[in-house]
Amino acid sequence: MSYFKVNDKCNGCLACVRNCPAQALRYVDRGSIRTIEHNIISCARCGNCWRVCPEGAIEFEYLLRGGWDEVVSTPLVTCSVCGKPLCTEDFRNTLTKQLNQEIDPLCAIHQGVRSSRAWLRAVQTGKSLEEASE
Amino acid sequence: MIVAELKPLEEIASSIKGYRNILVLGCGTCVTVCLTGGEREARVLSQELSHPRFGPDRPDSFEVNTIERQCERDILKAFLNVPDNCDAILSLACGAGVQTLAGVYRKLPVIPGLNTTFLGALDEPGIWREQCRGCGDCMLAYTGGICPVARCAKQLFNGPCGGSQGGKCEVSPTVDCAWALILARLNFLNRLDLYEKIIPPKDWSSDKDGGPRVFRSGNPPDIA
């Protein structure tokens, strides 16, 4: 999706394209249609386009506020008692290999005595979780 | 980029004492990158300043917001919403941002939460080092790309002083002698001829000694 939004006042004059210091705007004329394109990676969000637009067409607040793009979705492990999300399955597999033991899908409350410090000690020292808990 | 560090909490708490509703305003550029004045730091700071140890005169409420750049007057005017009940703004921008904010919101006290320290570069994760003093007359072309204005404690232009020992500056054994670095670099580039040339005294009028500096872009907007 594009965060560079214009309202219906845009008349395609190209003031924004000509004055973009980062060359993050360009236009493409295809047949009878002119399209203005924006490259979010090149964009410095300097606001020059918004400043120079003679029509007041650029809704710069979208570039300031932004939005969330989905990056990756990964299966979760949840606490088998209360259902609280714990970590991803891949992360649990990594921990299982490092600790060389199965990890119970239990949250801190339902795990009882095993503190997060014990987990950390076990990973750092290579000891078993029981040894690291002592 | 501009590097800044958080002021001591006690100093900030003291400077906002007596105000009831504070807007803690982060800045989305340099100070976000150097981990001192972005959205996350603004939130953490507002929580820390709410602690009862700062006494009954501490503010009742903290709003947190961040804007992309506090140093641009028109962006502040157009896009920053200051709550109606706000009676002071705690800015986590550099000095340029704090002053711009104070110029736009003239009726509100604008209090700095950071000390602006230097123009620096990321050396390793979490460590920025001063590289540029903004002197207005760059001489890196003659010094192997290493700045004696920013990196030599004495700002010498024609070689090291007697305090340079084993490549280190007498200021501290952890500080490299800029001129030792420059000589090594010029030698590596086979440009020691540059070291042989005497660099005349610098004209500091392009530095702060000439008063506050102004830069005017030569290109007016093209909207014809």
Side-chain angles (χ1 to χ4, degrees):
Chain A
M1 71 169 286
S2 174
Y3 298 111
F4 187 87
K5 294 191 185 298
V6 295
N7 57 35
D8 55 12
K9 294 178 191 163
C10 177
N11 59 13
C13 72
L14 302 183
C16 56
V17 174
R18 282 201 296 268
N19 289 284
C20 174
Q23 300 196 340
L25 287 163
R26 67 178 185 181
Y27 71 98
V28 183
D29 291 339
R30 293 187 190 92
S32 59
I33 299 293
R34 167 166 292 175
T35 304
I36 293 175
E37 296 180 338
H38 179 245
N39 184 323
I40 187 69
I41 300 301
S42 302
C43 180
R45 299 197 291 165
C46 65
N48 236 27
C49 52
W50 167 72
R51 287 188 186 95
V52 301
C53 178
E55 305 299 325
I58 292 169
E59 306 205 341
F60 190 59
E61 62 269 30
Y62 288 100
L63 274 173
L64 291 177
R65 202 169 58 218
W68 298 100
D69 292 330
E70 191 171 305
V71 177
V72 66
S73 295
T74 316
L76 269 178
V77 176
T78 55
C79 175
S80 56
V81 179
C82 67
K84 182 182 177 183
L86 299 176
C87 61
T88 65
E89 282 184 12
D90 280 352
F91 184 71
R92 181 170 73 156
N93 293 340
T94 305
L95 268 186
T96 302
K97 276 184 201 158
Q98 286 190 8
L99 296 170
N100 199 25
Q101 72 179 74
E102 283 299 316
I103 295 167
D104 299 332
L106 293 168
C107 69
I109 291 170
H110 295 107
Q111 205 174 138
V113 295
R114 289 172 183 169
S115 68
S116 55
R117 285 180 188 279
W119 288 98
L120 190 61
R121 267 199 303 274
V123 170
Q124 286 173 340
T125 60
K127 290 179 179 175
S128 72
L129 191 54
E130 279 68 27
E131 286 173 324
S133 300
E134 287 167 1
Chain B
M1 68 175 191
I2 297 168
V3 178
E5 59 189 346
L6 189 68
K7 282 178 173 287
L9 262 186
E10 283 67 24
E11 182 185 340
I12 300 174
S14 165
S15 60
I16 60 174
K17 196 176 278 185
Y19 297 115
R20 301 316 331 155
N21 302 296
I22 300 281
L23 171 63
V24 184
L25 187 64
C27 184
T29 43
C30 308
V31 292
T32 291
V33 178
C34 72
L35 311 175
T36 49
E39 174 80 13
R40 185 179 63 175
E41 290 76 27
R43 291 198 179 282
V44 170
L45 182 61
S46 69
Q47 287 167 4
E48 288 178 331
L49 292 171
S50 305
H51 196 278
R53 76 183 163 101
F54 292 117
D57 288 341
R58 70 184 188 280
D60 299 325
S61 75
F62 292 90
E63 283 266 336
V64 174
N65 198 351
T66 300
I67 195 153
E68 182 64 13
R69 279 182 299 278
Q70 286 189 31
C71 55
E72 292 184 19
R73 188 178 296 270
D74 53 359
I75 285 185
L76 289 175
K77 281 182 180 170
F79 300 112
L80 178 62
N81 292 318
V82 176
D84 291 338
N85 65 351
C86 172
D87 51 11
I89 301 176
L90 176 59
S91 166
L92 295 190
C94 68
V98 172
Q99 291 179 67
T100 306
L101 201 58
V104 172
Y105 295 95
R106 303 181 75 87
K107 292 181 180 170
L108 287 174
V110 179
I111 296 153
L114 303 183
N115 288 322
T116 309
T117 43
F118 53 77
L119 297 178
L122 184 66
D123 197 18
E124 51 191 284
I127 297 179
W128 286 262
R129 293 191 196 282
E130 184 167 19
Q131 305 281 344
C132 177
R133 196 63 66 87
C135 71
D137 182 18
C138 188
M139 54 190 298
L140 287 170
Y142 316 111
T143 56
I146 294 154
C147 179
V149 179
R151 298 171 68 179
C152 168
K154 292 179 176 171
Q155 302 185 334
L156 298 178
F157 294 143
N158 289 287
C161 69
S164 175
Q165 297 292 327
K168 298 295 177 186
C169 175
E170 63 183 336
V171 165
S172 161
T174 63
V175 174
D176 290 326
C177 167
W179 273 101
L181 296 174
I182 291 169
L183 279 165
R185 177 82 173 139
L186 289 178
N187 186 38
F188 177 77
L189 296 172
N190 203 22
R191 289 302 314 268
L192 281 172
D193 59 299
L194 291 170
Y195 182 55
E196 297 298 323
K197 291 180 183 165
I198 301 295
I199 299 177
K202 191 174 173 66
D203 176 4
W204 291 101
S205 63
S206 61
D207 193 85
K208 59 180 170 40
D209 295 11
R213 293 166 286 181
V214 178
F215 170 71
R216 291 183 175 85
S217 165
N219 301 316
D222 175 12
I223 52 174

